[in-house]
Amino acid sequence: MKRLIINEDSIQLAEDLAKSWLIHAFKKCHETGFSHSRWMFLPSIIAWNKPYPETSGYIIENFLEFNFKNEYLDGTIGIKTGNALLNNQSHEGYFYSGVNQIKPSVFNTAQILFGLMQCYQKTKEEKYMTGFNLARNWLIKMMDKNGIWQHGLYVDSFLPSYYTRALWPMLLIPSNDNDAIKLEKSLDHFWKNKTSNYSFVHSGFQPNDNFYLTHTIAYTIEGFMECALLMKRQDILEYCLQSLKVLAQIIEHENGLAGKYNAEWQSSHSFRCVTGQAQFCSLYAKAFQINQNVVFKKTALFLFEELMSWQIKSKNIELNGAFPASLPIYGSYFPFRYVNWTNKFFLDACYQIKKIIKQTAF
């Protein structure tokens, strides 16, 4: 891999390029959200998919906070997306799964909370907080007395570890005593999935998965870390930091992040999950801000440098700035597709990496 210069200027150029692709994906959906994905080799008229509510929800925070630059452009895109989401929210508070809106979705509804919160913080308009509370109340209602979701799951009757990332945004506002108890029980339920290897079982999309995408592993660890910080669970936080240390050693030994790992941290190098790599860049940068262990910063920068080299540079504006979901492009995670959330997580990584390069050099 050709060495890249990582500094604030080079990061900003890549960040602007990634945002420009998302803006194009926004316009392709008539400014009602961000297109789920673009097929690589199809003509434009059929290459773009419908807007994806879940990821449109958490992309809002990139335009209104993390990567905000321009009130007219970024602010308008973020607020228009929030309004489109409110228009599609059910009377009960939930949002649907997928782009075809087939069934209520716990995970998707939770991710949209991030965007609604950002819209409220930006505008102070009560409609966003009303939508936030309606969605959050539905999510709590869907939990049983032990804080476990039984319905609205991606796979019926399977509650995987990565749903910690659904729990995280529910903790962004204070809870009444009954809700707080439910949320703590929910976190404790997920916590049972930890292993002696500093990993988590059931971290994949399917109940019979033996190897898990780095995308869902990152969801799991990030969800635990953020919940631990908000709920002051030092035991969980320390475990997650140790988990990242274990994986960092594997990354160094194998000279890269694999596309999948099992609960014993055995790797599957048949492809690279670009989305997961972007997420782990942020995770390691966040870990360094919590605990100034040089390993976290070194791993974050190592992964980020490689990630930057994967960004598409093209004269075709429909491709320029995108990232393939897998490398090689026929890999098992959304082959031959540019999915919008890879760009989202790259923007998250830019935001976090810029923070740590300002800190003491290792």
Side-chain angles (χ1 to χ4, degrees), residues 270-319:
S270 61
F271 77 106
R272 312 292 292 278
C273 179
V274 180
T275 312
Q277 178 131 343
Q279 291 169 266
F280 270 105
C281 290
S282 291
L283 263 176
Y284 278 106
K286 285 183 177 183
F288 183 72
Q289 293 166 67
I290 295 167
N291 179 326
Q292 280 68 54
N293 186 319
V294 64
V295 169
F296 295 143
K297 184 172 184 177
K298 181 179 179 181
T299 307
L301 293 175
F302 171 77
L303 294 177
F304 187 72
E305 180 182 4
E306 186 174 43
L307 180 65
M308 283 183 64
S309 73
W310 295 339
Q311 188 174 37
I312 303 298
K313 308 294 191 338
S314 172
K315 292 181 180 179
N316 184 342
I317 62 171
E318 295 199 3
L319 310 181

Side-chain angles (χ1 to χ4, degrees), residues 48-83:
W48 293 91
N49 284 281
K50 296 176 182 179
Y52 193 21
E54 174 206 337
T55 58
S56 294
Y58 59 34
I59 289 172
I60 290 173
E61 61 189 359
N62 299 96
F63 280 84
L64 296 187
E65 183 184 9
F66 300 158
N67 315 95
F68 174 85
K69 285 181 68 176
N70 180 287
E71 187 69 55
Y72 176 74
L73 182 60
D74 294 350
T76 299
I77 289 172
I79 297 303
K80 280 187 174 182
T81 303
N83 290 338

